[in-house]
Amino acid sequence: MMINSIGFVGTGAITEAMVRGLLAAPAYASEIHVSPRSAHIAATLAEEFASVRIAGDNQSVVDRSNMVFLAIRPQIAEEVVRALSFRKGQLVVSLVAATERQALLGWIGADVHLVQAIPLPFVAQRQGVTAILPPDAVVAALFDTLGTAVECQSKKEYDLLAAASSMMSTYFGIMETLAGWLEKSGLERPTANAYIASLFASLAQKANSPGTEPFSALSREFATKGGLNEQVLSDVDKQGGLAALTAALDGVLARIEGRSS
């Protein structure tokens, strides 16, 4: 299925990732309109893809698009969205983080069909997973093209997945800590980086294999009794590492839900 015209209000990293994924062969859109904000990214996309059009302003993006993505930072979202005029029934997909649906509808001020989504950078390679709320066949089909769509049945489900997605920086932070420790202990940094990246990729592949056991079973499987893996997990837990992670996720969820942590 190809959508005639898709627009992005906001041209940041996620917009760039989505455009690259949508226009990879076979292309999912015949035209993509991007706002002039972040001029370098907009110009790069327009130069690389004949289907990308740089609009004169954000309103032009809305006017020319069947499906409009709001890809803007939450700090400026209200100001940007309130300044726009949407068509009745227009499909609007908000990528604005930690923002209530009712607030978005109030800023939009029109009877649009609003869907919220949490795309991750991996959509550029048509990989990864995107949570959407509420379930929507058209939006799910688009994100299935960019990887896998998860249609959430409730705001609670959506908020929990949003909280889980906040682990990306921590994931790479753990890799950096490991690689840095290896370097400090005498291993060349390129060798350390290559080994850690391959190790984590293999673990992720194992976890994502069809018919794989629960994570708890995998943890036991990879922790030989009295072995090194068991020792590290035990020490991290005893020193509060696992509890700190849980507390951090509780804090992120509180922020997403708009309450005190």
Side-chain angles (χ1 to χ4, degrees):
M1 174 184 176
M2 178 181 282
I3 295 177
N4 291 333
S5 183
I6 294 174
F8 288 87
V9 175
T11 315
I14 287 298
T15 291
E16 180 177 13
M18 287 191 62
V19 170
R20 291 189 179 283
L22 290 168
L23 295 181
Y28 195 81
S30 55
E31 286 186 356
I32 293 183
H33 301 275
V34 297
S35 61
R37 188 176 178 88
S38 298
H40 174 69
I41 293 177
T44 299
L45 292 173
E47 182 177 348
E48 189 169 339
F49 300 102
S51 300
V52 173
R53 312 278 191 270
I54 302 176
D57 53 30
N58 288 334
Q59 187 60 56
S60 295
V61 172
V62 175
D63 293 343
R64 297 174 183 177
S65 305
N66 302 124
M67 180 187 295
V68 179
F69 286 88
L70 303 178
I72 43 185
R73 292 181 290 110
Q75 295 89 339
I76 62 170
E78 181 174 4
E79 176 187 357
V80 172
V81 175
R82 282 191 183 278
L84 300 173
S85 296
F86 296 84
R87 301 187 297 276
K88 181 178 180 180
Q90 191 168 18
L91 178 54
V92 179
V93 184
S94 172
L95 312 182
V96 184
T99 305
E100 291 286 340
R101 178 182 180 83
Q102 287 308 121
L104 288 164
L105 288 170
W107 302 342
I108 290 170
D111 186 17
V112 300
H113 182 59
L114 177 66
V115 178
Q116 293 172 274
I118 314 170
L120 304 176
F122 320 110
V123 294
Q125 291 81 40
R126 294 190 169 183
Q127 298 174 355
V129 62
T130 302
I132 68 171
L133 178 74
D136 182 274
V138 174
V139 177
L142 181 144
F143 283 113
D144 276 336
T145 298
L146 297 178
T148 302
V150 175
E151 299 184 75
C152 297
Q153 301 300 316
S154 68
K155 181 179 181 298
K156 185 67 174 182
E157 286 185 18
Y158 184 80
D159 287 348
L160 286 170
L161 293 180
S165 72
S166 69
M167 279 294 299
M168 290 188 293
S169 181
T170 302
Y171 178 90
F172 288 113
I174 291 171
M175 294 176 72
E176 170 60 25
T177 299
L178 280 168
W181 177 84
L182 287 170
E183 182 181 28
K184 183 179 178 181
S185 300
L187 193 65
E188 292 291 330
R189 187 58 183 247
T191 303
N193 286 352
Y195 183 85
I196 295 303
S198 181
L199 173 64
F200 275 58
S202 297
L203 291 171
Q205 186 177 27
K206 172 67 174 177
N208 204 35
S209 299
T212 297
E213 318 90 291
F215 295 147
S216 58
L218 288 173
S219 180
R220 289 192 298 271
E221 177 185 335
F222 281 80
T224 304
K225 188 68 175 176
L228 304 181
N229 280 275
E230 183 186 60
Q231 178 181 333
V232 171
L233 178 61
S234 176
D235 286 349
V236 168
D237 189 23
K238 287 176 182 177
Q239 294 182 43
L242 301 184
L245 176 58
T246 301
L249 290 170
D250 286 341
V252 166
L253 181 60
R255 178 181 174 184
I256 290 169
E257 293 180 339
R259 54 183 174 81
S260 300
S261 57

